[in-house]
Amino acid sequence: MSSNPVVKNAPKRRKFLTGAAAGVAGAATLAFPAIVRGQNAPISLRFQSTWPTKDIFHEYALDFAKRVNDMSAGRLRIEVLPAGAVVKAFDLIDAVNKGVLDGGHGVSGYWYGKNSAYSLFGTGPSFGMDANMLLGWIHYGGGREFYSELQRKVMGFDVEGFLYGPMPTQPLGWFKKVIKGPEDFKGLKFRTIGLSIDVFKEMGASVVALPGGDIVAGLDRGLIDAAEFNNASSDRILGFPDVSKICMLQSYHQPLECFEILFSKKRYDSLPADLREIIGNAATASSADMSWKAMSRYSQDYIEMRTKQNVRFFRTPRSILQAQLNAWDRVVEAKSKENPLFAKILESQRAWAERVVNWSNDTVVPNDVAFAHYFARKAAPAGAAPAKKA
C-alpha cells in the first residue's frame, strides 16, 4: 500500500520535473542573449581635457581617445569633453580622483599649486634636455617611479597617469613691445604656469596663472600685460595675433614639456588586462604621432602668422636667457629645501641629463650648419623674414 502512491504519482512527478527542466532551459535560453549583450556592450569612459575645443591640444586629446577606441575594436569608448564642460581646467585632477570624471587630458604643471614637484614632469629646468629626453627619463631613467610616488604616496590621489607627447621649446611670449633685456620684466603682469611662475617672479614680473582659454581675453582687457602659452598653432587659434603683434621666440622658462593622460584608478583597474595594455600602447603611439603632427601644423601656422597676420617674431636676447638660468638656480634651490621629493626628482633628472645631453651634443650633427648651406642663400618671400634678434 505504501508503495502505490509513489507509483501512482511517479508520472506526475516526472512530468513536473520534465516541465521544470524545460522551464529552466527556456529561461536560460531567453536570458543568455542578454548576458552576451551585456558582455559585448562597449565600456564608456567620460573624459575632459583642460583645453578649449578649438585648441590643437584638445585635438591631441581626441586623437588619443580615437586611437584607444579603434585599437579596442569598439570595446572601449572614451568620450572627451572640452575644458569647463564638467569642471574648471585647474580642477581636473580632483574630479578624476573623486570619480566625477573617468579621466582627463592636461599637463602636470597645472597641479603645481598642490605640490611643486608636479612641475618637474614638464615645466622644470631642462639641464639642456629637449622634451624627448625628458620622456626618456620618465620611461628609462626612473621618472615613472617618481611620478607614481608623487601621485599616490605623497598626494594620495587615486589616479593612474600616462606622460606622453614631447612639446618643443615654447616662445617667451606675446608682448606689447620688444623685450630687450631682463629689466623689461620688472613689474610686468605676466601669465605663465608651474615653476615658471617662480622663475618670472625672480626676474621681477607680477605673475598671474590663467588656463589657456582665458589668456587672450585677459590680454585684451588689460588684466595682464604679456603672456606665454605654448606653440604657433595654439597661439594662432586662440587669437593671440588679434591682441598682440610681437612674439618673442626661444626661452628657458619652458624649454620642454609633455602631456598627461589621467584615469580614475578604480575605473582603470576595473578594465580587462588587454584594454589596459591598449591604453598604454595608445599613449605611446599618440606620443609619436603628436610630435609629427606638431611639426607640420606649428611650422605652417608660424608662416601664416608672419605672412598674413603681420606678427613680428624676435629671438629672445641671450641676456634674458642667462637671467632665466640664474633665476632657475635660485628657484630650484629654494624648492629643494622645502620639498624632499622635489630634491630627489631634480637630482635624478640632473644625472640623466648630464649623461644623455653630453652624449647627444658629442654625437648629433648640428642642424644650423646644414640649414645655412642649403637655405640661407635663398631670399625669403616678402613678409616672411625669419625671427629677428631683439
Side-chain angles (χ1 to χ4, degrees):
M1 292 290 294
S2 63
S3 62
N4 287 341
V6 175
V7 173
K8 259 177 97 174
N9 293 335
K12 292 182 179 179
R13 182 178 294 180
R14 283 196 297 271
K15 185 175 180 182
F16 171 78
L17 291 174
T18 303
V24 172
T29 303
L30 290 172
F32 186 71
I35 294 170
V36 171
R37 282 197 298 271
Q39 289 174 341
N40 289 342
I43 300 170
S44 296
L45 300 179
R46 189 169 67 152
F47 267 48
Q48 181 189 295
S49 82
T50 53
W51 323 113
T53 306
K54 61 184 178 179
D55 186 7
I56 193 172
F57 285 2
H58 187 69
E59 187 177 329
Y60 294 150
L62 295 174
D63 289 343
F64 166 74
K66 184 178 185 304
R67 188 162 277 110
V68 170
N69 297 348
D70 291 348
M71 290 171 68
S72 69
R75 290 171 57 211
L76 187 59
R77 292 191 182 280
I78 297 178
E79 175 195 7
V80 184
L81 304 170
V86 179
V87 296
K88 295 178 181 178
F90 288 170
D91 294 332
L92 178 68
I93 195 169
D94 293 308
V96 175
N97 176 51
K98 294 173 183 176
V100 174
L101 288 161
D102 296 316
H105 184 280
V107 289
S108 61
Y110 274 9
W111 327 133
Y112 163 77
K114 299 178 182 299
N115 192 305
S116 59
Y118 271 114
S119 199
L120 294 176
F121 296 95
T123 56
S126 69
F127 301 117
M129 292 188 290
D130 61 23
N132 224 22
M133 292 175 178
L134 176 71
L135 286 171
W137 168 75
I138 288 167
H139 289 282
Y140 290 97
R144 175 73 191 180
E145 290 74 19
F146 281 122
Y147 177 67
S148 296
E149 180 181 351
L150 172 62
Q151 293 276 45
R152 292 199 277 275
K153 291 184 180 179
V154 176
M155 299 304 301
F157 285 145
D158 193 29
V159 297
E160 184 75 29
F162 297 85
L163 297 167
Y164 88 109
M167 300 187 206
T169 299
Q170 299 177 23
L172 178 65
W174 295 79
F175 300 85
K176 295 177 181 177
K177 64 178 183 178
V178 177
I179 302 298
K180 296 185 176 180
E183 63 278 0
D184 290 337
F185 281 94
K186 302 295 183 184
L188 192 74
K189 289 184 291 184
F190 188 76
R191 180 273 174 191
T192 190
I193 64 159
L195 282 169
S196 299
I197 292 172
D198 298 273
V199 170
F200 283 108
K201 280 182 178 178
E202 284 286 334
M203 296 174 67
S206 174
V207 182
V208 180
L210 292 173
D214 298 340
I215 305 171
V216 171
L219 282 168
D220 193 38
R221 295 199 301 265
L223 299 177
I224 49 178
D225 302 317
E228 62 81 31
F229 183 59
N230 192 279
N231 65 83
S233 294
S234 291
D235 290 357
R236 184 178 182 227
I237 293 169
L238 292 175
F240 280 86
D242 297 330
V243 294
S244 173
K245 297 297 182 185
I246 295 173
C247 183
M248 308 289 296
L249 300 177
Q250 302 182 359
S251 178
Y252 280 123
H253 79 281
Q254 285 180 339
L256 73 178
E257 194 173 9
C258 60
F259 289 107
E260 178 184 56
I261 298 165
L262 289 172
F263 284 85
S264 160
K265 186 154 177 58
K266 286 188 181 69
R267 201 77 169 94
Y268 176 82
D269 288 345
S270 72
L271 297 174
D274 65 322
L275 291 183
R276 296 198 302 270
E277 191 69 19
I278 283 173
I279 287 170
N281 281 292
T284 302
S286 297
S287 192
D289 184 65
M290 186 228 96
S291 65
W292 303 328
K293 178 183 279 191
M295 290 177 199
S296 174
R297 296 275 285 277
Y298 295 177
S299 60
Q300 187 59 48
D301 282 314
Y302 173 59
I303 293 170
E304 294 285 316
M305 285 192 289
R306 272 192 333 205
T307 60
K308 296 183 179 179
Q309 294 180 283
N310 301 317
V311 173
R312 293 188 294 155
F313 292 95
F314 297 87
R315 289 181 184 169
T316 299
R318 291 185 68 88
S319 61
I320 295 177
L321 297 179
Q322 188 59 57
Q324 287 179 323
L325 293 176
N326 295 340
W328 268 120
D329 289 343
R330 297 190 294 273
V331 168
V332 298
E333 182 180 6
K335 297 299 179 186
S336 294
K337 289 178 180 177
E338 297 169 2
N339 187 340
L341 182 58
F342 183 102
K344 287 199 303 181
I345 294 172
L346 193 73
E347 185 54 37
S348 175
Q349 285 186 349
R350 190 183 185 104
W352 172 266
E354 185 175 13
R355 172 162 62 94
V356 173
V357 177
N358 179 63
W359 161 80
S360 179
N361 288 343
D362 286 350
T363 305
V364 180
V365 67
N367 294 330
D368 59 342
V369 177
F371 185 85
H373 175 78
Y374 290 109
F375 303 110
R377 290 188 297 274
K378 296 180 181 179
K388 305 170 185 176
K389 293 183 178 179

